[in-house]
Amino acid sequence: RHPLGQLRGRVPLVCAGQSDVGMRFTAQHADYAFVVGDLSGDAVFAANRKLQQYAEETGRDVGAYVAYTLVLGETEAQARAKSDHWMAHADREALATMMGQAALDAAGGTASLLQSIAYIGITPIIGSYAQCAATPDRIGAVPGTKGIILIFPECVQELQEFGERVRP
């Protein structure tokens, strides 16, 4: 007997495809799409709108789970110092290989390029506890957003801080 057969009801499916083909597949076969977040919410709005258009074509209810990396600190300066430390000490060769960019100059490049690599392409929210609460609140109001996925680089410590200081 298959283990999923023991679950009651239907198991929701989430896809990560951001391309038109990926979003169409999600609209046809899945329930949610991972969407890479941005700080302004403009990219989330555009991705959610595209996903909703494809979902309307299929007659299905499909929503977005928006992904962010949280870098928390008592103050924004503390969070930025933590982020700067991680970027300065990142294993750029491993990151470049993992991201399929082996030809990337690991010692150079722009700050935004290094940031996107260091955070594996998931937009970081770097700030104080209050700042880290404001962005998910704002993004949660974008039409089509069904949930927010949060990545914590220092999982145990930051998850505890999130529970105690960001969302008490």
PDB file of all heavy atoms in Angstrom, residues 13 26 32 38 45 49-50 70 73 77-78 81 85 91-92 99 108 113-114 120 122 136 148 154 163:
ATOM      1  N   LEU A  13      -0.140  20.144  -4.364  1.00  0.00           N
ATOM      2  CA  LEU A  13       1.140  20.123  -5.051  1.00  0.00           C
ATOM      3  C   LEU A  13       1.632  21.544  -5.269  1.00  0.00           C
ATOM      4  O   LEU A  13       0.867  22.446  -5.597  1.00  0.00           O
ATOM      5  CB  LEU A  13       1.009  19.420  -6.406  1.00  0.00           C
ATOM      6  CG  LEU A  13       0.586  17.955  -6.365  1.00  0.00           C
ATOM      7  CD1 LEU A  13       0.407  17.420  -7.775  1.00  0.00           C
ATOM      8  CD2 LEU A  13       1.595  17.123  -5.594  1.00  0.00           C
ATOM      9  N   THR A  26       1.970  24.575 -13.728  1.00  0.00           N
ATOM     10  CA  THR A  26       1.392  24.725 -12.386  1.00  0.00           C
ATOM     11  C   THR A  26      -0.111  24.928 -12.472  1.00  0.00           C
ATOM     12  O   THR A  26      -0.871  24.297 -11.739  1.00  0.00           O
ATOM     13  CB  THR A  26       2.051  25.902 -11.645  1.00  0.00           C
ATOM     14  OG1 THR A  26       3.450  25.647 -11.508  1.00  0.00           O
ATOM     15  CG2 THR A  26       1.436  26.113 -10.270  1.00  0.00           C
ATOM     16  N   TYR A  32      -0.186  25.293  -6.149  1.00  0.00           N
ATOM     17  CA  TYR A  32       0.570  26.483  -5.764  1.00  0.00           C
ATOM     18  C   TYR A  32       1.845  26.560  -6.590  1.00  0.00           C
ATOM     19  O   TYR A  32       2.366  25.545  -7.033  1.00  0.00           O
ATOM     20  CB  TYR A  32       0.949  26.435  -4.280  1.00  0.00           C
ATOM     21  CG  TYR A  32      -0.243  26.284  -3.374  1.00  0.00           C
ATOM     22  CD1 TYR A  32      -0.595  25.036  -2.873  1.00  0.00           C
ATOM     23  CD2 TYR A  32      -1.021  27.383  -3.036  1.00  0.00           C
ATOM     24  CE1 TYR A  32      -1.705  24.887  -2.057  1.00  0.00           C
ATOM     25  CE2 TYR A  32      -2.131  27.238  -2.220  1.00  0.00           C
ATOM     26  CZ  TYR A  32      -2.466  25.987  -1.735  1.00  0.00           C
ATOM     27  OH  TYR A  32      -3.560  25.850  -0.927  1.00  0.00           O
ATOM     28  N   ASP A  38      10.257  39.968  -4.235  1.00  0.00           N
ATOM     29  CA  ASP A  38      11.084  41.156  -4.361  1.00  0.00           C
ATOM     30  C   ASP A  38      10.652  42.106  -3.261  1.00  0.00           C
ATOM     31  O   ASP A  38       9.590  41.943  -2.668  1.00  0.00           O
ATOM     32  CB  ASP A  38      10.951  41.789  -5.744  1.00  0.00           C
ATOM     33  CG  ASP A  38       9.548  42.323  -6.017  1.00  0.00           C
ATOM     34  OD1 ASP A  38       8.569  41.628  -5.673  1.00  0.00           O
ATOM     35  OD2 ASP A  38       9.428  43.431  -6.559  1.00  0.00           O
ATOM     36  N   PHE A  45       3.627  40.911  -7.821  1.00  0.00           N
ATOM     37  CA  PHE A  45       2.347  41.251  -8.450  1.00  0.00           C
ATOM     38  C   PHE A  45       2.310  40.724  -9.879  1.00  0.00           C
ATOM     39  O   PHE A  45       1.329  40.104 -10.301  1.00  0.00           O
ATOM     40  CB  PHE A  45       2.122  42.765  -8.425  1.00  0.00           C
ATOM     41  CG  PHE A  45       0.808  43.185  -9.024  1.00  0.00           C
ATOM     42  CD1 PHE A  45      -0.351  43.149  -8.273  1.00  0.00           C
ATOM     43  CD2 PHE A  45       0.736  43.596 -10.345  1.00  0.00           C
ATOM     44  CE1 PHE A  45      -1.565  43.515  -8.821  1.00  0.00           C
ATOM     45  CE2 PHE A  45      -0.473  43.964 -10.916  1.00  0.00           C
ATOM     46  CZ  PHE A  45      -1.626  43.931 -10.145  1.00  0.00           C
ATOM     47  N   ARG A  49      -0.079  37.749 -11.185  1.00  0.00           N
ATOM     48  CA  ARG A  49      -1.052  38.054 -12.236  1.00  0.00           C
ATOM     49  C   ARG A  49      -0.930  37.045 -13.386  1.00  0.00           C
ATOM     50  O   ARG A  49      -1.930  36.531 -13.883  1.00  0.00           O
ATOM     51  CB  ARG A  49      -0.866  39.484 -12.741  1.00  0.00           C
ATOM     52  CG  ARG A  49      -1.929  39.884 -13.763  1.00  0.00           C
ATOM     53  CD  ARG A  49      -1.828  41.310 -14.182  1.00  0.00           C
ATOM     54  NE  ARG A  49      -0.468  41.555 -14.646  1.00  0.00           N
ATOM     55  CZ  ARG A  49       0.063  42.754 -14.810  1.00  0.00           C
ATOM     56  NH1 ARG A  49      -0.633  43.821 -14.537  1.00  0.00           N
ATOM     57  NH2 ARG A  49       1.286  42.899 -15.245  1.00  0.00           N
ATOM     58  N   LYS A  50       0.315  36.738 -13.778  1.00  0.00           N
ATOM     59  CA  LYS A  50       0.535  35.761 -14.853  1.00  0.00           C
ATOM     60  C   LYS A  50      -0.010  34.395 -14.430  1.00  0.00           C
ATOM     61  O   LYS A  50      -0.699  33.730 -15.196  1.00  0.00           O
ATOM     62  CB  LYS A  50       2.030  35.650 -15.154  1.00  0.00           C
ATOM     63  CG  LYS A  50       2.337  34.731 -16.311  1.00  0.00           C
ATOM     64  CD  LYS A  50       3.818  34.467 -16.502  1.00  0.00           C
ATOM     65  CE  LYS A  50       4.655  35.694 -16.573  1.00  0.00           C
ATOM     66  NZ  LYS A  50       6.079  35.398 -16.823  1.00  0.00           N
ATOM     67  N   LEU A  70      15.223  35.524   5.229  1.00  0.00           N
ATOM     68  CA  LEU A  70      15.210  36.539   6.284  1.00  0.00           C
ATOM     69  C   LEU A  70      16.570  36.611   6.953  1.00  0.00           C
ATOM     70  O   LEU A  70      17.120  35.586   7.370  1.00  0.00           O
ATOM     71  CB  LEU A  70      14.169  36.210   7.357  1.00  0.00           C
ATOM     72  CG  LEU A  70      12.731  36.557   7.085  1.00  0.00           C
ATOM     73  CD1 LEU A  70      11.878  36.328   8.335  1.00  0.00           C
ATOM     74  CD2 LEU A  70      12.564  37.983   6.623  1.00  0.00           C
ATOM     75  N   GLY A  73      17.975  41.063  12.712  1.00  0.00           N
ATOM     76  CA  GLY A  73      18.839  41.684  13.698  1.00  0.00           C
ATOM     77  C   GLY A  73      18.032  42.613  14.578  1.00  0.00           C
ATOM     78  O   GLY A  73      16.921  43.023  14.215  1.00  0.00           O
ATOM     79  N   ALA A  77      21.376  47.743  11.035  1.00  0.00           N
ATOM     80  CA  ALA A  77      22.842  47.697  10.950  1.00  0.00           C
ATOM     81  C   ALA A  77      23.380  46.333  11.380  1.00  0.00           C
ATOM     82  O   ALA A  77      24.299  45.791  10.750  1.00  0.00           O
ATOM     83  CB  ALA A  77      23.453  48.813  11.799  1.00  0.00           C
ATOM     84  N   GLN A  78      22.813  45.754  12.433  1.00  0.00           N
ATOM     85  CA  GLN A  78      23.250  44.425  12.877  1.00  0.00           C
ATOM     86  C   GLN A  78      22.921  43.360  11.830  1.00  0.00           C
ATOM     87  O   GLN A  78      23.733  42.473  11.568  1.00  0.00           O
ATOM     88  CB  GLN A  78      22.599  44.069  14.213  1.00  0.00           C
ATOM     89  CG  GLN A  78      23.144  44.845  15.387  1.00  0.00           C
ATOM     90  CD  GLN A  78      22.381  44.565  16.670  1.00  0.00           C
ATOM     91  OE1 GLN A  78      21.268  44.032  16.658  1.00  0.00           O
ATOM     92  NE2 GLN A  78      22.981  44.928  17.795  1.00  0.00           N
ATOM     93  N   ALA A  81      25.338  43.770   8.914  1.00  0.00           N
ATOM     94  CA  ALA A  81      26.672  43.269   9.273  1.00  0.00           C
ATOM     95  C   ALA A  81      26.706  41.741   9.181  1.00  0.00           C
ATOM     96  O   ALA A  81      27.678  41.154   8.690  1.00  0.00           O
ATOM     97  CB  ALA A  81      27.055  43.734  10.672  1.00  0.00           C
ATOM     98  N   HIS A  85      28.952  39.658   6.500  1.00  0.00           N
ATOM     99  CA  HIS A  85      29.863  38.600   6.957  1.00  0.00           C
ATOM    100  C   HIS A  85      29.632  37.320   6.151  1.00  0.00           C
ATOM    101  O   HIS A  85      30.586  36.685   5.701  1.00  0.00           O
ATOM    102  CB  HIS A  85      29.665  38.342   8.458  1.00  0.00           C
ATOM    103  CG  HIS A  85      30.490  37.212   8.975  1.00  0.00           C
ATOM    104  ND1 HIS A  85      31.830  37.340   9.256  1.00  0.00           N
ATOM    105  CD2 HIS A  85      30.155  35.929   9.231  1.00  0.00           C
ATOM    106  CE1 HIS A  85      32.296  36.171   9.667  1.00  0.00           C
ATOM    107  NE2 HIS A  85      31.296  35.300   9.672  1.00  0.00           N
ATOM    108  N   ASP A  91      31.381  30.451   0.225  1.00  0.00           N
ATOM    109  CA  ASP A  91      32.181  29.605  -0.667  1.00  0.00           C
ATOM    110  C   ASP A  91      31.687  29.876  -2.084  1.00  0.00           C
ATOM    111  O   ASP A  91      30.817  29.192  -2.605  1.00  0.00           O
ATOM    112  CB  ASP A  91      32.010  28.133  -0.280  1.00  0.00           C
ATOM    113  CG  ASP A  91      32.876  27.206  -1.104  1.00  0.00           C
ATOM    114  OD1 ASP A  91      33.320  27.612  -2.204  1.00  0.00           O
ATOM    115  OD2 ASP A  91      33.093  26.069  -0.653  1.00  0.00           O
ATOM    116  N   ARG A  92      32.261  30.914  -2.703  1.00  0.00           N
ATOM    117  CA  ARG A  92      31.783  31.364  -4.001  1.00  0.00           C
ATOM    118  C   ARG A  92      31.959  30.313  -5.094  1.00  0.00           C
ATOM    119  O   ARG A  92      31.155  30.222  -6.005  1.00  0.00           O
ATOM    120  CB  ARG A  92      32.457  32.677  -4.371  1.00  0.00           C
ATOM    121  CG  ARG A  92      31.899  33.833  -3.564  1.00  0.00           C
ATOM    122  CD  ARG A  92      32.586  35.140  -3.913  1.00  0.00           C
ATOM    123  NE  ARG A  92      31.932  36.259  -3.279  1.00  0.00           N
ATOM    124  CZ  ARG A  92      32.008  36.558  -1.993  1.00  0.00           C
ATOM    125  NH1 ARG A  92      32.686  35.791  -1.174  1.00  0.00           N
ATOM    126  NH2 ARG A  92      31.369  37.607  -1.499  1.00  0.00           N
ATOM    127  N   MET A  99      24.908  27.056  -8.814  1.00  0.00           N
ATOM    128  CA  MET A  99      23.992  27.880  -9.594  1.00  0.00           C
ATOM    129  C   MET A  99      24.225  27.741 -11.095  1.00  0.00           C
ATOM    130  O   MET A  99      23.619  28.430 -11.885  1.00  0.00           O
ATOM    131  CB  MET A  99      24.121  29.351  -9.179  1.00  0.00           C
ATOM    132  CG  MET A  99      23.752  29.627  -7.727  1.00  0.00           C
ATOM    133  SD  MET A  99      22.064  29.200  -7.319  1.00  0.00           S
ATOM    134  CE  MET A  99      21.190  30.476  -8.195  1.00  0.00           C
ATOM    135  N   GLY A 108      34.963  38.922  -8.074  1.00  0.00           N
ATOM    136  CA  GLY A 108      34.484  40.246  -8.462  1.00  0.00           C
ATOM    137  C   GLY A 108      32.993  40.273  -8.631  1.00  0.00           C
ATOM    138  O   GLY A 108      32.256  39.515  -8.025  1.00  0.00           O
ATOM    139  N   LEU A 113      24.843  41.041  -7.764  1.00  0.00           N
ATOM    140  CA  LEU A 113      25.120  39.715  -8.308  1.00  0.00           C
ATOM    141  C   LEU A 113      25.604  38.788  -7.208  1.00  0.00           C
ATOM    142  O   LEU A 113      25.136  37.663  -7.080  1.00  0.00           O
ATOM    143  CB  LEU A 113      26.148  39.798  -9.440  1.00  0.00           C
ATOM    144  CG  LEU A 113      26.530  38.484 -10.093  1.00  0.00           C
ATOM    145  CD1 LEU A 113      25.301  37.813 -10.705  1.00  0.00           C
ATOM    146  CD2 LEU A 113      27.580  38.725 -11.157  1.00  0.00           C
ATOM    147  N   LEU A 114      26.535  39.262  -6.385  1.00  0.00           N
ATOM    148  CA  LEU A 114      27.025  38.438  -5.290  1.00  0.00           C
ATOM    149  C   LEU A 114      25.909  38.119  -4.305  1.00  0.00           C
ATOM    150  O   LEU A 114      25.818  37.012  -3.788  1.00  0.00           O
ATOM    151  CB  LEU A 114      28.187  39.129  -4.566  1.00  0.00           C
ATOM    152  CG  LEU A 114      29.475  39.243  -5.360  1.00  0.00           C
ATOM    153  CD1 LEU A 114      30.514  40.039  -4.563  1.00  0.00           C
ATOM    154  CD2 LEU A 114      30.025  37.889  -5.730  1.00  0.00           C
ATOM    155  N   ILE A 120      21.276  32.295  -3.018  1.00  0.00           N
ATOM    156  CA  ILE A 120      20.778  31.312  -3.975  1.00  0.00           C
ATOM    157  C   ILE A 120      19.583  31.855  -4.771  1.00  0.00           C
ATOM    158  O   ILE A 120      18.632  31.159  -5.074  1.00  0.00           O
ATOM    159  CB  ILE A 120      20.442  29.973  -3.285  1.00  0.00           C
ATOM    160  CG1 ILE A 120      21.560  29.573  -2.344  1.00  0.00           C
ATOM    161  CG2 ILE A 120      20.219  28.879  -4.304  1.00  0.00           C
ATOM    162  CD1 ILE A 120      21.243  28.370  -1.491  1.00  0.00           C
ATOM    163  N   ILE A 122      17.230  33.825  -3.898  1.00  0.00           N
ATOM    164  CA  ILE A 122      16.030  34.153  -3.129  1.00  0.00           C
ATOM    165  C   ILE A 122      16.254  35.511  -2.462  1.00  0.00           C
ATOM    166  O   ILE A 122      17.195  35.695  -1.707  1.00  0.00           O
ATOM    167  CB  ILE A 122      15.729  33.085  -2.048  1.00  0.00           C
ATOM    168  CG1 ILE A 122      15.634  31.695  -2.664  1.00  0.00           C
ATOM    169  CG2 ILE A 122      14.468  33.451  -1.277  1.00  0.00           C
ATOM    170  CD1 ILE A 122      14.509  31.511  -3.651  1.00  0.00           C
ATOM    171  N   PRO A 136       6.692  40.836   4.652  1.00  0.00           N
ATOM    172  CA  PRO A 136       5.691  39.762   4.473  1.00  0.00           C
ATOM    173  C   PRO A 136       4.250  40.248   4.651  1.00  0.00           C
ATOM    174  O   PRO A 136       3.357  39.780   3.940  1.00  0.00           O
ATOM    175  CB  PRO A 136       6.072  38.742   5.553  1.00  0.00           C
ATOM    176  CG  PRO A 136       7.521  38.978   5.788  1.00  0.00           C
ATOM    177  CD  PRO A 136       7.704  40.461   5.625  1.00  0.00           C
ATOM    178  N   ILE A 148       3.588  32.658   2.295  1.00  0.00           N
ATOM    179  CA  ILE A 148       4.958  33.157   2.174  1.00  0.00           C
ATOM    180  C   ILE A 148       5.892  32.103   2.744  1.00  0.00           C
ATOM    181  O   ILE A 148       5.653  31.581   3.839  1.00  0.00           O
ATOM    182  CB  ILE A 148       5.127  34.508   2.892  1.00  0.00           C
ATOM    183  CG1 ILE A 148       4.219  35.544   2.208  1.00  0.00           C
ATOM    184  CG2 ILE A 148       6.583  34.956   2.891  1.00  0.00           C
ATOM    185  CD1 ILE A 148       4.236  36.908   2.835  1.00  0.00           C
ATOM    186  N   GLU A 154      20.391  30.991   9.508  1.00  0.00           N
ATOM    187  CA  GLU A 154      20.772  30.409  10.801  1.00  0.00           C
ATOM    188  C   GLU A 154      19.483  29.850  11.401  1.00  0.00           C
ATOM    189  O   GLU A 154      18.885  30.442  12.290  1.00  0.00           O
ATOM    190  CB  GLU A 154      21.410  31.462  11.703  1.00  0.00           C
ATOM    191  CG  GLU A 154      22.750  31.948  11.184  1.00  0.00           C
ATOM    192  CD  GLU A 154      23.376  33.012  12.064  1.00  0.00           C
ATOM    193  OE1 GLU A 154      22.687  33.600  12.922  1.00  0.00           O
ATOM    194  OE2 GLU A 154      24.577  33.258  11.885  1.00  0.00           O
ATOM    195  N   GLY A 163       9.932  33.859  15.874  1.00  0.00           N
ATOM    196  CA  GLY A 163       8.765  33.579  16.713  1.00  0.00           C
ATOM    197  C   GLY A 163       8.630  34.497  17.900  1.00  0.00           C
ATOM    198  O   GLY A 163       7.518  34.867  18.281  1.00  0.00           O
TER     199      GLY A 163
END
